[in-house]
Amino acid sequence: MSNLYDIITIPDAVLKETATAVNRVDEAIQKQMDKMLATMYDAPGIGLAANQVNLLNRVIVMDLSKRDEKTKEEASPICMANPSIIWESEEMSVMEEGCLSIPRQYADVERPALVRVKYLDYDGKEAELEASGLLSHCVQHEIDHLNGVLFIDYLSSLKRNMIVRKIEKAKKQQVL
Ligand code: NI
C-alpha cells in the first residue's frame, strides 16, 4: 500500500460531490490527515481536501510555510475536520488561485478577504481560525472542495471551458 494518495483531477465526478461530516477525529481520521499532508507536500501544494483523494468526508489539510522550497521553512500543517465558515468580511480580496485537481491552471478568484472558521483539529478539539490573505483564500478554496465547488466555478463559462479543455487535452496526450 502506498503512503500517498492519488490526486483526482477534473473532470472526475467525485470533485462535484458534497462530503459528509466526520463523527469525531479518531485514529483513522488522523491517519488520513497524515497521508493527505504527505500527498500535498509531495505534489507539491499548499492545500488538499478529501474529495481530491477520492474520500468523501469533511477533512482538509493546509500548509502555507512550504510555498518556497528555497526558504526551507519549518512545516506548519493545519488539519481540519468539519470546517465551517462562521463569519466572513464584507471586504473582498482577489488572488490568483490554482488547484492540484486542475494542474498548471491559474486564475484570479474574488472571495471575502477575512473569514473565521470553526473546525475540529488533529486532536479532535474544537478550534477556531481567523484567516486573511493567502490563508483565507486557501481555507475557503478547500472548504469549497468539500461542497463540490472548484475555483473555476467562479470564472466565466468561457474561461472555465477553456481550462477544462486544456486539462482534457493534456490527459489525452499523456494516455496516448
Ligand atoms: Ni483545489
Side-chain angles (χ1 to χ4, degrees):
M1 205 178 81
S2 168
N3 56 349
L4 297 180
Y5 291 114
D6 287 329
I7 296 176
I8 306 293
T9 54
I10 59 165
D12 194 293
V14 74
L15 296 169
K16 289 296 193 187
E17 300 267 345
T18 300
T20 310
V22 305
N23 292 325
R24 62 194 181 94
V25 179
D26 56 15
E27 205 177 313
I29 296 294
Q30 288 179 333
K31 275 190 180 154
Q32 179 187 332
M33 286 168 166
D34 292 339
K35 193 167 168 179
M36 283 175 66
L37 277 171
T39 303
M40 182 190 80
Y41 290 135
D42 180 71
I46 60 169
L48 192 66
N51 302 48
Q52 295 179 274
V53 295
N54 214 12
L55 296 170
L56 282 172
N57 56 16
R58 300 187 79 82
V59 173
I60 63 174
V61 298
M62 298 173 288
D63 189 339
L64 271 56
S65 68
K66 290 244 172 172
R67 286 196 75 215
D68 185 357
E69 277 298 313
K70 284 171 210 151
T71 63
K72 300 277 179 216
E73 276 185 80
E74 293 272 322
S76 60
I78 301 171
C79 300
M80 296 184 172
N82 302 344
S84 74
I85 293 169
I86 55 173
W87 174 82
E88 60 185 38
S89 66
E90 279 174 38
E91 186 198 341
M92 302 295 280
S93 158
V94 176
M95 218 174 247
E96 188 176 68
E97 296 188 16
C99 181
L100 293 174
S101 294
I102 311 171
R104 290 175 297 279
Q105 303 301 318
Y106 305 91
D108 280 347
V109 178
E110 186 179 37
R111 300 182 186 274
L114 304 167
V115 289
R116 180 168 276 272
V117 180
K118 194 179 88 175
Y119 62 99
L120 298 176
D121 68 13
Y122 187 86
D123 299 312
K125 293 197 186 105
E126 279 192 27
E128 279 186 23
L129 173 81
E130 189 163 309
S132 62
L134 181 61
L135 181 59
S136 177
H137 274 260
C138 188
V139 73
Q140 292 179 69
H141 175 123
E142 301 313 328
I143 292 172
D144 271 354
H145 271 300
L146 302 179
N147 297 321
V149 175
L150 302 168
F151 82 85
I152 55 173
D153 295 329
Y154 293 96
L155 310 179
S156 68
S157 58
L158 184 74
K159 217 167 181 183
R160 179 167 59 248
N161 291 339
M162 216 158 69
I163 289 178
V164 172
R165 276 199 299 274
K166 271 188 198 165
I167 299 287
E168 283 173 340
K169 194 175 164 194
K171 275 187 167 180
K172 214 179 260 176
Q173 282 169 344
Q174 278 161 13
V175 170
L176 293 177

